Amino acid sequence: MSEVIATDRPPEGAADRVAEFRPSLIVGEHSLCPGCGEPVALRILLETLQELGIVERAIGVVGHGCYGSFVRIMDVDVLQCLHGRAPACATGIKRVQPAAAVFTLQGDGDMVSEGLAEVLHAAARGENITCILLNNGVFGDTGGQQTATTVLGQRTKTSLDGRDPVSHGHPIRIADIVAGIDGVGYVARGTVGTARGVARTKRMVRSALETQLAGKGFSLVEILTMCPTGWFVGAPQGPDYMEQSMARAYAPGELRVSLGDER
Amino acid sequence: MSEVIATDRPPEGAADRVAEFRPSLIVGEHSLCPGCGEPVALRILLETLQELGIVERAIGVVGHGCYGSFVRIMDVDVLQCLHGRAPACATGIKRVQPAAAVFTLQGDGDMVSEGLAEVLHAAARGENITCILLNNGVFGDTGGQQTATTVLGQRTKTSLDGRDPVSHGHPIRIADIVAGIDGVGYVARGTVGTARGVARTKRMVRSALETQLAGKGFSLVEILTMCPTGWFVGAPQGPDYMEQSMARAYAPGELRVSLGDER
Amino acid sequence: MSGALVIEVERCKGCELCIAACPPRVLEMSREVNATGYRYPILHPGCTGCTACQLVCPDAVFEVYRLSSG
Amino acid sequence: MSGALVIEVERCKGCELCIAACPPRVLEMSREVNATGYRYPILHPGCTGCTACQLVCPDAVFEVYRLSSG
Amino acid sequence: MSSSAATSGLELLEGSTAIARAAITAGCRFFAGYPMSPFTGLLESMARLLPGSGGVCINAQSEIEGVNMALGASAAGARAATGSCGQGIALMQEAIAETALNETPLVIFNMARNQQDYFQCTRGGGWGDYRTLTLAPKDIPEAVEHTQLLFHLADRHRIPTILYGDPLIAQTRIGVRIDPLELPPLPAKDWALDGSRGGTGHSRQIWTWAMGKATDPGPGPDRHWQAIAEKFERIGAVEQRSEGFGLDGAETVVVAFGSAAKFTAHVIEELRDAGHSIGHFRPITLWPFPGEALARATEHARRVLVFELNAGQMLDDVRQHAADRSAVLPIGGVSIHESGLSYGPLLDVPVIRERILAAMRGRRRLAARAGLSAGSRG
Amino acid sequence: MSSSAATSGLELLEGSTAIARAAITAGCRFFAGYPMSPFTGLLESMARLLPGSGGVCINAQSEIEGVNMALGASAAGARAATGSCGQGIALMQEAIAETALNETPLVIFNMARNQQDYFQCTRGGGWGDYRTLTLAPKDIPEAVEHTQLLFHLADRHRIPTILYGDPLIAQTRIGVRIDPLELPPLPAKDWALDGSRGGTGHSRQIWTWAMGKATDPGPGPDRHWQAIAEKFERIGAVEQRSEGFGLDGAETVVVAFGSAAKFTAHVIEELRDAGHSIGHFRPITLWPFPGEALARATEHARRVLVFELNAGQMLDDVRQHAADRSAVLPIGGVSIHESGLSYGPLLDVPVIRERILAAMRGRRRLAARAGLSAGSRG
Amino acid sequence: MEQEVLIAGIGGQGIQLVGKTLALAATLAGRHAMLAADYGGEMRGGPSQATVVVGDAPLRALPIVPAVGAALVMHDRFVGAVPERLRKGGLLLVNSSVVDVDAERAARYAYFELPAIELARELGAPAAAGLVMLGAFARLSGVVELERLVEAMRSLLPPYREQHAAGNATALEAGWAAGADRSATAAAG
Amino acid sequence: MEQEVLIAGIGGQGIQLVGKTLALAATLAGRHAMLAADYGGEMRGGPSQATVVVGDAPLRALPIVPAVGAALVMHDRFVGAVPERLRKGGLLLVNSSVVDVDAERAARYAYFELPAIELARELGAPAAAGLVMLGAFARLSGVVELERLVEAMRSLLPPYREQHAAGNATALEAGWAAGADRSATAAAG
Ligand SMILES: Cc1ncc(C[n+]2csc(CCOP(=O)(O)OP(=O)(O)O)c2C)c(N)n1
Ligand SMILES: Cc1ncc(C[n+]2csc(CCOP(=O)(O)OP(=O)(O)O)c2C)c(N)n1
Ligand code: SF4
Ligand code: SF4
Ligand code: SF4
Ligand code: SF4
Ligand code: SF4
Ligand code: SF4
Ligand SMILES: [Mg+2]
Ligand SMILES: [Mg+2]
C-alpha cells in the first residue's frame, strides 16, 4: 500500500462527481477545531435545505456556541439570537411568516442548559419549527465546562474528577423528553461520528424539515457531535470516545414520527 | 332531615377530637376565594411537617401565585422567592444546610410556565428537595389566563374560545416528565377535590418528604387544586369540573417511588 | 360510629364543598348568611365523624369529634 | 466500483477522521505538513468512491468521483 | 353604539384596551406577553383583539420567551411588541439590549406598578451602550397617541422603545377615541429576514456583532457598536419631547412625569391662580431626557422641585440639565399601595401641594429627605 | 513552593484564581455560576477550589439559576456569590433587585468584557428603588482586596455588591499575595433561615414585601421600601471611595475607573513630569459615586476629562458632581477587540495621551464626539 | 362642570357593574366619562368601590378622585370612607335596607334613601339592588337618561347572562321612578 | 527596572507554556512577574503570543504591554508585530530554524539566533523548541536562573504528562548553555 494516487485534480477519464467538497450554501471557511463534529452537521443541514428546494424560504436562528460562527458562512437568512432563546425567536418568525422554513441551530449548552424552558414550551406549543441540537455534552465555546447533557463520569473544567451524580446531577435526555410531549411531530437522534451515522442523520434532518413543511408540529433532531477539545482527547479519538460515552447514554434512532413512514 | 344539631361548641359527653380546624402552624386567616383548593394543600403540607417532627428544620420557598399570601400565615421559616425560581433558591438553601427539610410551594404558572427550566434542572441534579406543585391550570392570581398546564378546550382570558392546540399548544404533564428524569426519588400526583383525594395526597406529601429525609433525591408532588374563580365556574362545581377536565389530562397516582414501599 | 362537629360559621365562605363531601349527606347549607354574607353548613343527625368535611374544607371551618359511645 | 478523489490538502486540519472512516482503508496520513502545520490524507489504490471520507470530514477536504468504467 | 356616542366618537375603554386598539391601529401584528398586574389587561386585550385583525397574540410562558418571540417576529418584518412591568421587564433586559444592538425595532409596554422603574427604562440593565426611547404618557388619550408614535419611532430608528405606563393608565376606564396618528411614511424593511436572498451570497443576517457573511462582510463589533452609539446620540438630540406651562420667569419650577405630572399640574394651576410664581415642566420622553428644554425652563428659577414617586431617579437627569444644579430639590418619594401593586398615599393633591409650599418656604432639609442621592452637593 | 517565593509570599495566579482565593479567604462558602468569557475562569477556579474549603460550587445551568441559588444560600446564612458578565448579568437583574429589596447579602462578580456596563452596575435594570454597591478595581491586587471588602459590605448592609472586573483583571497572571483583609466584626445573621423558629409564632421570613407573619406583622411594602431607600441613601453617604493624585490646583482633571484608570494614571504621570498642570481622579466605588471628593478635586479645574471605554455612562455621574458641569468633556469611547470579548485599540497609552493633549489644546468638539449624551448643555 | 360619584359597598353587591353601567351610559350619551381604577379585590365581603366622573368636555378630573359631589352607599360596613370624600352639600343616596345614617350626618348632605334590596326583591330581581339605586341616582342627579342606562346595562351583560336583562331593566326603571319623587326618597334628615 | 519580553509564534508551538514557565520561574525566584492576557485563540496555525514582565518591586507595567525590551520569535509568520513593539536596541532572539531576519533589521536590535527546532530534535524532545529558546533567553537576559525554570516547568506539567519532564529539562539546559556563549547565538547582524 505504498503507491500514492494523485488527488490534486479531478480524474481524467469519464467520471461522475458523487460528492462535492461542500454545499454551495457554505460560503467561507469555518474556524472550528480539528475533528469537531459541528461542521459536519452544518453541511448536512444545508445540503438538505437545497435538496428540499427551500433555500429561498429558509430562515435560521442560531444560538451561542462554537457553531455560532457559522452565521458568517451559511448563505441563508439568519438571526443570531440570544443564548438559549432560539426556539422563542423562531416562533415569532414562523408565526408572522408561516410559509418560511424556520430552523434553529443550537448546542447542548444553548438548548438544554440555558434554553431548556424555551425548547420545551415551543415543543408543547406544537410550533411548526425544526430545532437542530448539536450535542457534544460540553460548553465547547467557553472551554469545556459541564452542561446539562454531560454524561456521568465525564471530566470537564467544572467537574474535574468526572461528573458525579451526587454533586453534579444527572444528564438530561432532551430528545426523550421532547418525544413525550403532545404537539411534537418528529424527534430523532443521530451522530456524525461515522459515515453511516452522517448519512442516517441527514435523513433525520430531512424528515424533520418535511414534518414542518407538512404542518405536523414541532420537530427536533439531536445530533451527537465530537468535541475533542472540550473532551480533552485527541481529534482522532473523538468518534470512539463518543461511541463509548455519549452514544451509550443517548441511543440514536427515531423517537417520534408522525408523517407516513416513507423510509 | 330537618333536625339541626348544635355545632357551636364541642360535644359534652366523652369524645375524641379526630380533626382540628387546622394545624397550629397556620397562624392566620387566608384570603383566598371560596372553594379554592390551595388552602387544603397548605394544610396537609403543614400537618405532615408536624407529623414527621421536622418543623424546626423545615424551610419553605414560596413562589408567586395566590398561595404566595400563605407566607403570612405559615409558621415555618420561609423565603418568598421570585416567580418560577423556587427550586433554584431551594437548592442554594439545601446545599448550605443539608440537614434542613427544604420544600417549595409553587403553582402551575410558577413552576411549569415561568420556572420550567429551574424545576427540571433541580430534578436532574437529583437535588434533595421536595417541590409541591399546586396545579389549577391557570394563573389564578392574575385573573385566569392560560398556563402551560391549561387543558385543551379550557376557556381562559387568553384562550377565550378554549385552549386550541393549533394556536395555544398542548398542556405539559410536568410530573410525567420529572418522573422520567434520572436523579429523581419520588413523583406523585394527587387531588384535593374529594376527601379521599385529600387523604391520599397527604400520604404522597409524606412520602416525598421522607424521600428527601432519606437522601434519595428530588421529590415532587403535583396537587390538582380547584380554582373556581379562574375557571369561571361556581365554587360548588369546582371538584366536578376538575374531575372532568384536569384529572382526565393528569391521572392521579404515584409515578416514581424509590423508598421501600412502606404503604 | 357517631360523630359531632364544631362549625365556625363565621369563617365559612359558602363554597359548599363540604356538602358534597359528606358521605351520609348530613350537611346542608343554611338559609341565613354570616357576617360576610355567606351561607354556611348546618348539621343534621347522622354524622359518623368521618372527617371528610374537615378534609375538603378550604377555610378550616370544622372540628370533628367521635363520640366514645358509638 | 472504483473511485477517485480530489483532496484539498491546504484545508485539512489533520483530525484523521477520514482515515478511520474509509472502509477499504486506502487513506493514510502524510508525513509532510501543509502550510498551517497539519498532516493530511494521501490516497492509496483501492478507492471505491463510497464517499465515506467526504461524509465524515469536518473541513470539506474531499471531492469524490466514481469512475464510469468501474 | 348609540348615535350620540357615534357622534362624539367616544368609546368607554379601559386604558389597557385603548392601548391595544392603538397598537393594532399602528399596525402591530404580533404580540407576546406574560401576565403581570397591571400589564395583564393589555395582554388580555391583545389576545381578544389581535387575532381578528390578522395578527397573532401569544400568551408566552415567560417574559423571556415573550420578548424573544417579539424580537423574532420583528426580525421577520412584522410590527411586534411585548410588555410586562417591574420584575418582568427586568427579565427582558438582555433581549432589550440585544434589539438595540442588532437593530431590531421593538415596542415594550412597561405597564409599571409605579414610578420606581425610571432607571430601568432610561438606563436599562442590559449590556453595552444602548438606550431605550421611553415615552411616559400622562393619561389614556396620550397613551393612545404615544403607542402609535412608539411603533413609528421603533421602525424609523430601528430601536427598542418603551411606553412607561402605570396602573392609572392601565386600569382606568374613560371615554376615548382611537384616532390614527398622521405620521410620515417609512422606507420598506429591506433588512427583514424572509429567506428570499438565500443562496445569492447576500442572504440577510441580524447579528449584534455585525460580522456579516464571508461573501458580504459586516463592520464587526467595534465599528458597529460605535455606529450604534452615534445613532443613539443623534436620536438623543432629535427626539426630546416635553411640555410645560407657567415657565416664563417662574421662581419655582416643578418637574414631574407620567400620571404624577397630571397631579402636579393640577396643584400648580391652583397655586398660580393663588398668585404664586410657579411653573410646570413635564418630560414626555424620559430618554432622551429633554435637557435643553429643561435648561431653558429653569434659567430664572430659584428652585427646581422634582416630584417623582420613587427615591429620586429622574433627579439624576434633572441635576444634569437644570440651569443651576444646586437649585434642584426632590419632593417626591417612595409610596406604595398596600396591595403592592400601585401608588401609595403620596399621589394626592393636598400632599403634593403641601410639599411644594414647604419647599417654597425654604424647608429644604425636610423635602430633601425623600431623595436617594449619592452624597451629592447639588 | 520554593523558598524565595515563600519569602516574597508571591504566587503566580491568574486574576480569576486570585479572586477565587480571595473570596474563599473572605469566607465565601457557596458559589454558583454559568460560563461566559471572561467570567469563566472564576467559575472554574471556584469549582476547583471551593469543595476543598468546605464549600459548594455549582455549575448552574443558567445565570438565572445561578443567581437564585446564591440568593437561597445567602438566605440560609452562607456567604454566597455568583457572577457573569454583560448578557449574563442582564439576566440576573430581577434577582439582584430582589436581594436588595429583601435584604439578602450577595456578591456578584461582573467580570465584564469592557466598560460598557457602567449603567448596568450602577443603575441596574431591576425594579424598584435599589442600588448595587460597585467596586471597580484597577488591577489584580486591588481586586483581591475588593473581593474581601465586598463580602463584608454585603453582609454589613445586607445588600448586593458588585465587583466590576474586566478581561485584564480576569485573565492576566501576576505574582500576588492573598492576604486576609482586616475588617471589623459583624453581628450574627439572626435573620437567616434555619428553620429553628418554626412553630414559635416567630418563624423567620425573607420577603420583598415585608408583610411579616400574622403573628408578627412586618412593615409592608410602603414602609419597607421607604426604609430600603433610606438605607441606600445612608450607604451612599458613607461608602464612597476614590483616589487621585496631582489634584491640588490642577487645571485639567482626568476621571477614569477600573483598568482604564491604570492607563490614564500612567499617561498623567508622564504629562506631569513634562510640566503639565493635570491631575487624576479615580472613583473606586462606582456606586456610591464619590461625588463629594470629585467636587473638591475639580474645584479649580478648567476642564474635567472623562475617559471611559464606552459611549459616555460615567459621564452622567461626573456631570452631576464635578464643580462645574460645563467643564466636563468625554474623551473615551466605544472600543471593542475584534474577538468581541475585550477592549479595542483605544486602551492604549499614545492614544490616550493624544486625546488628553487635544482636549487641553481646546479641541473640545472633536473629543466630545465620543460621548452619548442626551442633548445636554454641559 | 364635572359630576363625580362614588359608589361604595362590599364585594358581591355588583358595585363595579353599577360603576361601569353609569360610565358607559354617559359615554353612549356622547358625554365624557371616567371610571377610576380600583385596587381592592372584588372578593365577597371585602370593600368594593367605584368612582365615576362625567362631564361635557374632556375631563379634568384626576384618575384618583379625592373628593366627589355625590355618593351612592350600598352597605353600611364601608360607609366610613364616604364622609372623607363626599363634599359638604353633596348628593348622598343610601341603600336604607342595610345602611343607617344618623340625622346629624345626613343633614350635611342632600340626603336621600331608598330601601333598594326590598324594592329589588319585590321586582323579582334580588341581585339588582345596585341598579335600582343607580336608576334613582340618575334621575336625582340628572347625569344620564334612563334609556342610556338600559342600553349600557344590556351591552355589558355577557351572552350567558342575557336572561337577566329584563329584570335588570325593571330595576333601573323602578329606581328611576323612585328618583322622580324626590320626597319619596328624601328622608326626614 | 522591569524587563518585558514578548514571545511570539503560532498555535501549537507552546507559546503560552513558555510564557507561563518564565513568569512562574521569576515568581519562584521571589520576583514580581506578570503574564499579560492573550485574546487570540491557541488554535494551531493561528497567531499566539505572550508577554511577560519581571521586576523586583510591585510592577508598574500596564496589563497590555505596548513596548518590550526583549522578544523571542518562534515563527516567521508572526514576526510582523515584533518591530512595532520591540524597543530599539532590545534583545531579539529568533528561532532560526524557521525565522529569517534580514541583516538590516537585525542591526537595530541586540540580535541573537538559535536553530531551536534542530537543537530540540537532536535532544530527542522535538516539541520542546520553545523551552530551548527560553533557556537561552534566560541566560542572555539574566532574568532568571536555570533551576527556577526547571522547577517552574515541572510544576506546570499536568500529572499525565510527567514523562516529558526530563526531556523538557534537557531542552532548557541546552538553551541555557547556548545562551552562555553569546557569540554562539549572536548572528552576523
Ligand atoms: C446569556 C449567556 N450566557 C453565557 C454565554 C456564554 N456562552 C457562549 S457560547 C457558550 C457555550 C455554548 O455551549 P453549546 O451550546 O453546548 O455549544 P458548543 O460550544 O459546545 O458548540 C456559552 C455558555 C452567552 N453567550 N450568553
Ligand atoms: C417575573 C414575574 N412575572 C409575572 C408575575 C406575575 N404573577 C404573579 S402570580 C402569577 C400567577 C401565578 O400562577 P400560578 O403559579 O399558577 O398560581 P395561582 O395563582 O394559580 O395559584 C403571575 C404570573 C410575577 N410576579 N413575576
Ligand atoms: S471546542 Fe469543541 S465544539 Fe468547539 S470547535 Fe472545538 S471541537 Fe468543536
Ligand atoms: S383565583 Fe383561583 S387559585 Fe386564586 S384564590 Fe381564587 S380560586 Fe384560589
Ligand atoms: S364528619 Fe363525616 S359524616 Fe360528619 S358531617 Fe363531616 S363529612 Fe359528614
Ligand atoms: S367547605 Fe368550608 S368554607 Fe366551604 S361551605 Fe363548607 S364549611 Fe364553608
Ligand atoms: S471514497 Fe470511500 S473508499 Fe474512497 S477514499 Fe473515501 S472513504 Fe475511502
Ligand atoms: S477528515 Fe478532513 S480534516 Fe480530518 S484529516 Fe481527513 S481530510 Fe483532514
Ligand atoms: Mg456543546
Ligand atoms: Mg395556577
Side-chain angles (χ1 to χ4, degrees), chain E residues 100 103 157-159 227-236:
Chain E
E103 304 198 271
H157 299 300
R158 296 182 58 185
I159 53 169
I228 294 283
E230 281 161 23
K231 180 175 86 171
F232 278 111
E233 198 180 349
R234 278 196 309 276
I235 297 169

Side-chain angles (χ1 to χ4, degrees), chain B residues 18 195, chain C residues 3-5 7 18-19 21-27 42-44 46-56 62-66:
Chain B
V18 290
Chain C
L5 305 178
I7 304 183
C18 51
I19 307 297
C22 173
R25 299 273 166 186
V26 294
L27 292 173
I42 52 175
L43 178 65
H44 294 290
C47 170
T48 64
C50 73
T51 78
C53 50
Q54 190 266 358
L55 282 172
V56 300
F62 298 98
E63 197 173 45
V64 185
Y65 290 82
R66 260 180 225 152

Side-chain angles (χ1 to χ4, degrees), chain A residues 108-109 134 136-140:
Chain A
D108 49 315
L134 309 181
N136 55 19
V138 285
F139 298 109

